[in-house]
Amino acid sequence: MDYLPLFFDLRKQPCLLVGGGTIAFRKARLLVRAGAQLHVVALQICDQLQELITENDATFALKAYDPSDLDNRKLVIAATDKLDLNEQVSTEAKSRNIPVNVVDNPELCTFITPAIIDRSPLMIAVSSGGEAPVLARQTRAKLESLIPSGYGRLAKLASRWRDKVKDAFADGDMRRRFWEEILSGTVAELTLNGNDSKAEELIEQKLAEADVNRTGEVYLVGAGPGDPELLTLRALRLMQQAEVVLYDRLVSEGVMDLVRRDADLIYVGKKRDKHAVPQGEINQMLVDLAKQGKRVLRLKGGDPFIFGRGGEEIELLAENSVPFQVVPGITAASGCASYAGIPLTHRDHAQSVRFITGHLRDNTINMNWSELVEPSQTLVFYMGLKGLPAICDGLIKAGRSPQTPAALIEKGTREDQRVFCADLSSLPGTIAAQEVHAPTLLIVGDVVSLHEKLSWFG
């Protein structure tokens, strides 16, 4: 994060604007809308800026800039077409620890002015840090079309009821749930349609009926193989509602960035031969947190029901009458294969696919190898990095051709994804010569031969 987004309270605060042209007028308009006490210094002032000054009781001085103009200022903007003057204003403002912005020159700024979506008192700011202002404006335009103009009215309604709701719900999580229901349901629709009186009646009714001892709920959500854009809409919605999040090692940082910011995060990750929290404790933790009235998100890499032990977790929830939802995710086989350009099935290469755990128990892999030698079948091994030599050797000994194409995908769907292609006889040696780390996925079958032709990611 290059800049920390902040909102200045400039009401009745003395602010200086150096410059009198069209760009200076745009900045002056922002300062006036924010309630600033504006003073403009410039040799000449355009008609638009002059009119704005007159209408808003601002002040101006038709003269050259002088360092004394900075006296007692809370914020400074330089908007001239003279680089040396802009540099002077920036240097002298910084020396006095006064926040300063120089238009179109991020290097001289201590703050930047973002593109703004104004739904006062709701304010949304979009910035590229000065790197791509057109992109920031395009993003603002998209948000403008998505956010109803009545959101300001909705925010004011919430403000009027804030104290009463706080008195009704001593628990912060319960209070948050009440507001989430209000701001996304019938009350919100009534307010956006201008029917404030009916909306307030409904709020009062819902407060009277509120259950302060509401039972919690568990959301078992598949986070996919890594790319956050592969999340389902439902997954994202529940990630934003959860008050507590239990997540494992396979959930990528990009996905975790989309979790509600004020949620309690509990790492229960699992690494080969080392579990941060045993599975039984995770299961019981979900039950206990839900019975405390929490909305609990169990975030799992891939899909919860494909080698994710999701069935074990919801089995205990069901036994304890804890409400739960299950949201499937894109499993690693589907996501990683797609991003590697390897179709799991193909009319000319494979008519079936099998998902297999490659996890070692006592340093051995016990499976019916004879079922895995059909050449028209694609095999996908999860957690197969450590057991890769044993897997390849087992398939060859069972009768699968040593020349069968095979690929190991490291960190599939992520920006640092790597794909290693060889065949069953040579892949273990190829991987041994590289520094490869989990998460990985092993794909065996003729479909791997299509990787070079169909690869599109990265």
Side-chain angles (χ1 to χ4, degrees), residues 186-386:
T186 306
V187 172
E189 290 300 320
L190 288 168
T191 304
L192 293 176
N193 291 326
N195 196 343
D196 288 5
S197 59
K198 184 63 177 177
E200 304 221 21
E201 287 178 16
L202 192 53
I203 290 181
E204 191 163 7
Q205 177 184 333
K206 287 183 175 294
L207 270 179
E209 298 172 350
D211 179 7
V212 296
N213 297 311
R214 186 181 303 179
T215 304
E217 186 176 12
V218 174
Y219 312 136
L220 186 62
V221 173
D227 186 345
E229 293 192 3
L230 296 180
L231 286 167
T232 65
L233 293 175
R234 188 177 177 196
L236 185 58
R237 176 171 57 83
L238 295 179
M239 288 165 63
Q240 288 293 309
Q241 290 182 6
E243 295 149 357
V244 183
V245 180
L246 278 66
Y247 66 103
D248 62 38
R249 184 177 61 94
L250 295 179
V251 180
S252 69
E253 289 185 15
V255 170
M256 289 302 299
D257 285 342
L258 298 175
V259 169
R260 181 187 189 141
R261 292 300 173 97
D262 58 349
D264 294 329
L265 303 181
I266 302 175
Y267 176 66
V268 293
K270 299 175 182 179
K271 197 171 184 177
R272 189 177 65 212
D273 302 326
K274 183 179 180 181
H275 290 191
V277 180
Q279 185 63 50
E281 290 186 23
I282 296 174
N283 300 348
Q284 189 60 51
M285 196 181 304
L286 295 174
V287 172
D288 294 342
L289 288 167
K291 287 191 171 182
Q292 294 171 20
K294 304 290 187 181
R295 289 185 298 194
V296 186
L297 173 69
R298 177 66 175 108
L299 196 58
K300 306 174 77 72
D303 181 275
F305 283 1
I306 299 182
F307 303 124
R309 305 186 73 171
E312 299 173 41
E313 296 176 351
I314 65 170
E315 188 174 8
L316 189 62
L317 294 172
E319 290 174 2
N320 286 269
S321 301
V322 173
F324 62 85
Q325 299 181 43
V326 180
V327 181
I330 292 180
T331 188
S334 178
C336 297
S338 296
Y339 278 53
I342 302 174
L344 295 177
T345 61
H346 188 285
R347 186 173 61 180
D348 298 328
H349 298 276
Q351 286 72 54
S352 65
V353 59
R354 182 175 291 203
F355 298 165
I356 310 159
T357 176
H359 185 62
L360 293 178
R361 285 186 179 273
D362 301 322
N363 291 317
T364 61
I365 298 178
N366 297 316
M367 61 182 67
N368 190 339
W369 296 105
S370 61
E371 294 182 353
L372 308 179
V373 298
E374 170 58 49
S376 63
Q377 176 178 234
T378 301
L379 306 178
V380 180
F381 291 87
Y382 288 66
M383 300 168 286
L385 178 59
K386 184 177 181 181

Side-chain angles (χ1 to χ4, degrees), residues 34-259:
Q37 195 179 82
L38 177 63
H39 180 68
V40 180
V41 171
L43 294 174
Q44 291 182 318
I45 293 178
C46 69
D47 293 341
Q48 286 178 302
L49 181 54
Q50 180 66 67
E51 184 178 352
L52 183 74
I53 291 171
T54 303
E55 292 177 350
N56 292 277
D57 295 324
T59 58
F60 69 95
L62 292 176
K63 68 178 191 68
Y65 161 79
D66 184 89
S68 63
D69 293 319
L70 296 172
D71 293 346
N72 300 316
R73 305 298 175 189
K74 300 298 182 182
L75 183 141
V76 178
I77 295 179
T80 79
D81 56 1
K82 297 180 174 59
L83 179 59
D84 56 344
L85 175 56
N86 290 339
E87 289 177 344
Q88 180 187 358
V89 173
S90 173
T91 300
E92 291 168 353
K94 289 176 182 177
S95 70
R96 300 188 185 202
N97 292 320
I98 303 173
V100 59
N101 173 267
V102 176
V103 177
D104 292 334
N105 203 328
E107 305 84 46
L108 298 178
C109 299
T110 59
F111 76 94
I112 52 179
T113 54
I116 297 170
I117 299 97
D118 187 357
R119 301 289 187 269
S120 296
L122 178 67
M123 300 291 293
I124 302 169
V126 180
S127 174
S128 65
E131 299 292 332
V134 174
L135 180 60
R137 286 197 295 272
Q138 288 178 342
T139 304
R140 179 189 64 183
K142 291 180 180 179
L143 291 174
E144 288 276 12
S145 66
L146 293 172
I147 301 171
S149 59
Y151 260 42
R153 193 162 58 248
L154 188 59
K156 290 176 182 177
L157 175 75
S159 177
R160 290 196 296 272
W161 283 85
R162 183 177 180 181
D163 291 339
K164 289 184 179 180
V165 172
K166 188 175 182 180
D167 291 340
F169 298 99
D171 180 78
D173 290 336
M174 298 302 297
R175 196 159 57 240
R176 188 183 300 115
R177 288 191 203 183
F178 178 83
W179 278 122
E180 286 173 351
E181 181 181 347
I182 290 296
L183 297 175
S184 61
T186 306
V187 172
E189 290 300 320
L190 288 168
T191 304
L192 293 176
N193 291 326
N195 196 343
D196 288 5
S197 59
K198 184 63 177 177
E200 304 221 21
E201 287 178 16
L202 192 53
I203 290 181
E204 191 163 7
Q205 177 184 333
K206 287 183 175 294
L207 270 179
E209 298 172 350
D211 179 7
V212 296
N213 297 311
R214 186 181 303 179
T215 304
E217 186 176 12
V218 174
Y219 312 136
L220 186 62
V221 173
D227 186 345
E229 293 192 3
L230 296 180
L231 286 167
T232 65
L233 293 175
R234 188 177 177 196
L236 185 58
R237 176 171 57 83
L238 295 179
M239 288 165 63
Q240 288 293 309
Q241 290 182 6
E243 295 149 357
V244 183
V245 180
L246 278 66
Y247 66 103
D248 62 38
R249 184 177 61 94
L250 295 179
V251 180
S252 69
E253 289 185 15
V255 170
M256 289 302 299
D257 285 342
L258 298 175
V259 169

Side-chain angles (χ1 to χ4, degrees), residues 18 25 30 32 49 51 106 149 178 216 270 285 335 388 393 395:
V18 181
F25 163 70
L30 282 176
V32 165
L49 181 54
E51 184 178 352
S149 59
F178 178 83
K270 299 175 182 179
M285 196 181 304
L388 178 63
D393 183 60
L395 289 172

Side-chain angles (χ1 to χ4, degrees), residues 416-432:
D416 51 352
Q417 168 183 293
R418 292 196 295 172
V419 181
F420 302 92
C421 291
D423 56 33
L424 283 177
S425 63
S426 61
L427 185 60
T430 299
I431 299 305

